[in-house]
């Protein structure tokens, strides 16, 4: 609700992004008490041919969307001295992610479950913590790597849900992936802009950051068409493919 309200205030040009206090350490960010967080390998496999499997998939999506709200706000909060449009772009992402979260939470409730009833992992936020002091790394690792993986994986989820007859869940995920293209695109736009400002080659910098933070361990396969819409070049996709572990 706060994310949506802030987006409305921004549209009315009555929201200020001026810094009012010292930025707090990222380890002071607080999260809800649920879901219980576990290691990614501790999560069970999701079999979409069963109701429980579909609930588990949707719960994982809801968790990603919940953390995506935090990620959008954190980049607004943590990195100052950027153009006004930088903050407006990420605020629009926060509002979108809030809407996505509400959609999936409602679908979980329709299926007899709710967000927080299953365990989840904190992989997305771990990347945010690792990049808390480096804006280029944050842009490379969160929208241009972790969130871009959603562009690769979600169309397959839509296809499998459709195959199993869950057309309503499939339609929600299709709407989300359609809108996530723009979010990854903001990552590409601002990554390229800041590289240009600093006199850096954006492609070389991107892969240097992947090597530094991920040891070059990137995962495929990649959705070429959606990644190109989100600002990835053909050369970047080719290099990612060569590096990837499918």
């Amino acid at each position: 609700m706060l994310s949506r309200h802030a987006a409305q205030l921004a549209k009315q040009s009555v929201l200020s992004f001026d810094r009012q206090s010292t930025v707090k350490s990222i380890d002071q960010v607080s999260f809800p008490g649920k879901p219980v967080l576990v290691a990614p390998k501790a999560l069970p496999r999701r079999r979409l041919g069963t109701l429980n499997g579909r609930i588990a998939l949707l719960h994982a999506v809801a968790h990603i969307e919940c953390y995506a709200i935090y990620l959008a706000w954190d980049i607004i909060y943590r990195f100052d001295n950027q153009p006004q449009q930088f903050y407006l772009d990420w605020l629009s992402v926060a509002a979108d992610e809030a809407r996505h979260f509400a959609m999936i939470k409602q679908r979980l409730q329709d299926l007899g479950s709710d967000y927080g009833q299953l365990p989840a992992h904190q992989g997305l936020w771990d990347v945010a913590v690792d990049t808390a002091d480096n804006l280029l790394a944050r842009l490379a690792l969160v929208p241009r790597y972790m969130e871009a993986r959603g562009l690769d994986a979600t169309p397959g989820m839509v296809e499998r849900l459709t195959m199993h007859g869950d057309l309503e869940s499939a339609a929600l995920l299709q709407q989300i992936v359609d809108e996530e293209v723009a979010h990854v695109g903001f990552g590409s736009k601002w990554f390229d802009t800041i590289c240009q400002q600093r006199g850096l080659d954006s492609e070389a910098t991107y892969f240097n950051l992947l090597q530094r933070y991920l040891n070059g361990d990137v995962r495929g396969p990649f959705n070429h068409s959606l990644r190109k819409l989100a600002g990835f070049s053909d050369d970047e996709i080719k290099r990612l493919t060569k590096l990837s572990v499918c």
Side-chain angles (χ1 to χ4, degrees), residues 71-135:
L71 289 165
W73 274 111
D74 193 73
I75 201 170
I76 293 169
Y77 172 75
R78 196 157 304 284
F79 300 101
D80 53 10
N81 299 317
Q82 298 304 314
Q84 177 87 348
Q85 191 59 49
F86 176 91
Y87 300 109
L88 291 173
D89 284 349
W90 295 112
L91 177 55
S92 73
V93 171
D96 283 351
E97 306 292 19
R99 179 166 45 81
H100 295 168
F101 173 76
M103 288 163 39
I104 300 298
K105 178 178 169 66
Q106 182 60 59
R107 181 59 180 155
L108 282 169
Q109 291 173 344
D110 293 342
L111 295 175
S113 186
D114 204 349
Y115 177 62
Q117 291 191 6
L118 296 177
H121 71 82
Q122 195 169 287
L124 259 177
W125 192 252
D126 290 341
V127 174
V129 172
D130 290 343
T131 59
D133 61 350
N134 187 328
L135 177 55

Side-chain angles (χ1 to χ4, degrees), residues 40 45 48 66 85 124 129 138 149 161 165:
R45 293 187 62 184
L48 300 190
C66 179
Q85 191 59 49
L124 259 177
V129 172
R138 174 66 65 88
R149 290 293 296 131
L161 286 168

Side-chain angles (χ1 to χ4, degrees), residues 151-180:
L151 303 184
D152 304 325
T154 306
M157 297 178 194
V158 171
E159 184 176 340
R160 291 164 63 202
L161 286 168
T162 301
M163 180 179 66
H164 289 294
D166 191 345
L167 302 184
E168 185 169 348
S169 296
L172 293 177
L173 293 193
Q174 185 62 59
Q175 180 180 343
I176 287 173
V177 75
D178 289 345
E179 296 178 357
E180 291 288 347

